[in-house]
Amino acid sequence: MTAAEKKQLAVTACKVRMGVIEGIHAAKAGHPGGSLSAADLFTYLYFKEMRIDPANPRWEDRDRFVLSKGHTAPGLYAALANRGYFPVSDLLTLRQIGSHLQGHPNMNLTPGVDMSTGSLGQGISAACGMALGAKVKGLDQVRVYAVMGDGEIEEGECWEAFMFASHYKLDNLCVFLDLNHLQ
């Protein structure tokens, strides 16, 4: 990666952080810590790494992203907005009745959200299913990315998902652990 690309990603990550702060401030509720700590990761994935098309959010050959720790949705929303999935001004509607930006990601309402999450531990199981599904369909170029929190990895469902991923050799699955040492 060039110095110019690194600088552009840093500028974009700052915009994502601002979107988190503005959205949570407008909502008067939310989880800023996890969203802010993951801003660099969201930015790198959505602006550098992932094969996506904001104009075609359901493109079959796209990479998938699952925010297993769904309470950090404001960070995901800010990245999606800055990437062009919906207007940045929508971030000010966070958690409002009728908004497509609720407290946890909803794949039926929010463009760019690949999985509805909220209950800790369930997102990684869905990500494993997406990764296996891509392999079964022969979509070898499709990657699935998931972000988990350090608290949720204590859930039995997570360990079952990890064993499932190992058993089926899901080398198209990349899991990030946001380790904040608070659990």
Side-chain angles (χ1 to χ4, degrees):
M1 183 177 344
T2 67
E5 288 174 319
K6 286 181 185 178
K7 183 173 182 159
Q8 184 57 51
L9 286 173
V11 168
T12 302
C14 185
K15 290 179 183 177
V16 168
R17 285 185 182 88
M18 288 304 301
V20 169
I21 292 166
E22 291 169 354
I24 291 175
H25 179 265
K28 306 289 188 254
H31 298 270
S35 294
L36 294 170
S37 72
D40 290 320
L41 177 60
F42 293 140
T43 301
Y44 180 78
L45 289 174
Y46 278 92
F47 289 84
K48 179 74 175 160
E49 182 67 23
M50 290 175 50
R51 290 172 10 98
I52 54 173
D53 180 2
N56 186 8
R58 295 291 175 206
W59 172 42
E60 186 176 24
D61 291 339
R62 75 189 182 284
D63 288 338
R64 304 323 196 260
F65 178 79
V66 177
L67 183 61
S68 193
K69 54 181 218 153
H71 58 281
T72 61
L76 174 59
Y77 297 154
L80 291 171
N82 280 282
R83 186 64 172 89
Y85 281 90
F86 49 85
V88 173
S89 59
D90 287 5
L91 297 173
L92 298 178
T93 70
L94 178 67
R95 292 179 170 238
Q96 291 179 11
I97 294 174
S99 172
H100 63 101
L101 305 178
Q102 290 302 311
H104 289 90
N106 184 328
M107 61 191 262
N108 297 315
L109 296 177
T110 311
V113 172
D114 291 311
M115 184 63 205
S116 301
T117 57
S119 296
L120 294 176
Q122 292 182 342
I124 189 59
S125 295
C128 287
M130 290 176 182
L132 181 59
K135 283 186 168 285
V136 168
K137 285 182 149 186
L139 300 173
D140 296 330
Q141 71 283 5
V142 171
R143 302 286 176 258
V144 179
Y145 299 89
V147 174
M148 302 182 68
D150 56 355
E152 76 178 306
I153 63 168
E154 296 177 6
E155 298 285 341
E157 179 177 3
C158 294
W159 292 103
E160 292 168 355
F162 297 148
M163 290 187 293
F164 175 92
S166 175
H167 178 77
Y168 286 100
K169 297 177 179 28
L170 299 180
D171 57 357
N172 58 341
L173 174 66
C174 182
V175 180
F176 296 90
L177 176 62
D178 188 1
L179 182 63
N180 62 16
H181 301 287
L182 293 179
Q183 177 58 28

